[in-house]
Amino acid sequence: MKIGELAAATDVTPDTLRFYEKLGLIQPAGRTQSRYRHYDAQAVARVRFIKSAQSLGFALQDVAALLPRLDAGRLRRADIEASLNEKVAQIDAQIGRLQALRQEVVQTLGSLYCQDEEPLTTTSATRHARRQRR
């Protein structure tokens, strides 16, 4: 199949496929006589694997690290579980950072001392007002 057909079959753009090729994530099976890229049926499964991993938050470099082991038949369930558990830990850490940021934003919101119609300066909204109240 040509690049446009692979793009349609995997719901990505031809530019995305060219980018994947540039990164070494996919390779055309060959080229037609008119130099069009030609992909085999395995390319569909590979692109879907890449997109699935991305949708779970894995970066393309993470996927690139897995693909050689997948190609060699050395990617085991335990390897996938380890990657997924690491991703869960990263998500949990990100949730913690976001919760802390949320708390800081709420505290800042509560520390606004200016009036609704008062023009703000860099010091009048929170910092200056907090110092005066202490």
Side-chain angles (χ1 to χ4, degrees), residues 2-3 7 12 27 38 43 50 55 60-61 66-67 73 77 79 86-87 94 96 105 114-115 128:
K2 293 181 186 174
I3 195 167
V12 299
Q27 295 299 323
H38 176 72
I50 294 166
S55 74
L60 288 177
Q61 69 185 36
L66 291 175
L67 288 174
R77 177 187 171 109
D79 299 324
E86 183 178 329
K87 181 55 67 181
Q94 185 176 9
V105 169
C114 55
Q115 299 299 316
H128 179 70

Side-chain angles (χ1 to χ4, degrees), residues 79-101:
D79 299 324
I80 297 296
E81 285 179 358
S83 292
L84 290 171
N85 282 326
E86 183 178 329
K87 181 55 67 181
V88 168
Q90 291 170 358
I91 291 168
D92 288 343
Q94 185 176 9
I95 288 170
R97 288 189 300 273
L98 287 172
Q99 286 174 332
L101 177 60

